[in-house]
Amino acid sequence: RYVLGGEDRFRVNSDVGLRIGSASKVFGKVRARYTAPFGKWQLMLSETGSWYSDDGFGEVSEVRLSRDLNGGWLFRSSSTCTVEEGQKGVTPQQTFSLVNEVSEKRAYRLDLYGGWPECPDTTQADYRLTTTYRQLIHSDWLFMEISPGVSFPQEHGYAVNPLITVLFDTVFGE
């Protein structure tokens, strides 16, 4: 990741990398964001352009509202809309999160998510409830997240589908 602009309210950054999964992909992204106070809330607007070797170009617009709550908790509402090359329609998503950063090494998050791919003709809507535990596991740069939860996919008649995600996250620089 390379940060092109560093002001607190306005920032531009870029990413280049390799996503490893069932089909590995080379990718590049550019993201611009603007953050401003809005009473007791914080408003963040962002725009991301991306390219993936297998999927082509894409764009994500996001509106995020955050507010500190009692007991060290943070409430966050994130509304996004994604357009991708080769996909018909758009993909709106809504996530409500409660986050508690216990320390610089440990945090918890509870997410309620809804996604509606290829609107307006959605046949693969998905709703999820997950809880995430994030832990620093090495030095000050390697984190691990474990996220168990349940999803309710439209394509399976909204039947309960258990899930678990394990993520390793590296942070370089400050």
Side-chain angles (χ1 to χ4, degrees), residues 3-75:
V3 177
L4 304 170
E7 276 189 41
D8 286 341
R9 287 189 178 219
F10 183 75
R11 173 176 272 180
V12 177
N13 61 289
S14 62
D15 294 298
V16 176
L18 175 67
R19 181 193 286 177
I20 299 172
S22 58
S24 297
K25 302 173 185 182
V26 175
F27 71 90
K29 294 182 186 179
V30 175
R31 178 180 182 216
R33 77 171 187 207
Y34 176 76
T35 306
F38 188 68
K40 292 185 178 185
W41 296 84
Q42 182 178 38
L43 172 67
M44 186 192 77
L45 306 172
S46 70
E47 191 68 33
T48 304
S50 62
W51 174 82
Y52 286 86
S53 56
D54 287 354
D55 302 328
F57 291 96
E59 176 274 329
V60 179
S61 300
E62 179 180 14
V63 176
R64 184 184 295 175
L65 283 169
S66 302
R67 181 177 176 166
D68 289 323
L69 302 174
N70 294 333
W73 289 89
L74 172 77
F75 171 79

Side-chain angles (χ1 to χ4, degrees), residues 66-127:
S66 302
R67 181 177 176 166
D68 289 323
L69 302 174
N70 294 333
W73 289 89
L74 172 77
F75 171 79
R76 177 174 293 147
S77 171
S78 176
S79 304
T80 64
C81 189
T82 303
V83 177
E84 295 175 297
E85 185 178 347
Q87 299 290 323
K88 60 180 183 174
V90 298
T91 303
Q93 298 174 333
Q94 178 65 52
T95 305
F96 297 106
S97 301
L98 284 172
V99 181
N100 189 323
E101 185 177 309
V102 178
S103 69
E104 291 182 10
K105 297 180 179 185
R106 184 176 300 123
Y108 300 95
R109 185 178 71 239
L110 180 64
D111 294 312
L112 179 61
Y113 163 88
W116 304 270
E118 299 185 358
C119 275
D121 301 318
T122 299
T123 59
Q124 295 182 352
D126 189 25
Y127 303 93

